[in-house]
Amino acid sequence: EVQLVESGGGLVQAGGSLRLSCAGSGFSFDDYAIAWFRQAPGQEREGVSCISVSDGSTQYADSVKGRFTISSDNAKNTVYLQMNGLKPEDTAVYYCAADPGKVILATFPYYFGMDYWGKGTLVTVSS
């Protein structure tokens, strides 16, 4: 059974940091790209960042460049999203998703046809 499990969300003050984790199982992790998406109340889901597990190439949304860093630990089948300098507008449910190959990197942030999705973790940034 394929699973993607997010963790690390919570409540933080503006300017603070959080590290989200996405643990994958049931698929060949090294052959996939992992992406983080977020959805704020009343808004559409948007791409935040993605990484090719095989070669480490990354993409970021303009809104998070310089503040967020995506990384992977292949030995643990886990992708991380380090979020620094958090702003109230970063408040959202954050989802990780997996897709084979590198389509997501070539089309980021417009591609949403990921094969597998996690259930999300809530990040709340207070002002």
Side-chain angles (χ1 to χ4, degrees):
E1 179 188 7
V2 172
Q3 282 192 317
L4 288 170
V5 180
E6 303 96 335
S7 61
L11 174 64
V12 64
Q13 289 188 332
S17 299
L18 283 174
R19 188 178 79 158
L20 304 184
S21 299
C22 171
S25 61
F27 62 99
S28 183
F29 197 77
D30 291 358
D31 295 333
Y32 277 68
I34 307 296
W36 286 97
F37 296 83
R38 66 186 181 187
Q39 189 166 19
Q43 297 188 23
E44 295 185 351
R45 190 169 295 190
E46 62 174 349
V48 175
S49 183
C50 60
I51 186 168
S52 167
V53 175
S54 62
D55 65 15
S57 54
T58 60
Q59 292 276 17
Y60 294 92
D62 288 343
S63 59
V64 306
K65 281 181 182 175
R67 299 188 298 124
F68 291 10
T69 303
I70 192 169
S71 62
S72 67
D73 184 335
N74 296 9
K76 295 183 178 180
N77 283 8
T78 300
V79 166
Y80 302 100
L81 186 69
Q82 178 67 43
M83 307 187 295
N84 299 329
L86 283 162
K87 304 175 181 179
E89 51 263 45
D90 294 318
T91 294
V93 177
Y94 283 70
Y95 301 89
C96 70
D99 206 56
K102 296 184 179 180
V103 173
I104 179 65
L105 277 95
T107 58
F108 189 84
Y110 306 108
Y111 181 74
F112 295 91
M114 308 294 281
D115 272 9
Y116 308 118
W117 290 83
K119 295 182 178 180
T121 185
L122 177 63
V123 172
T124 304
V125 185
S126 63
S127 56

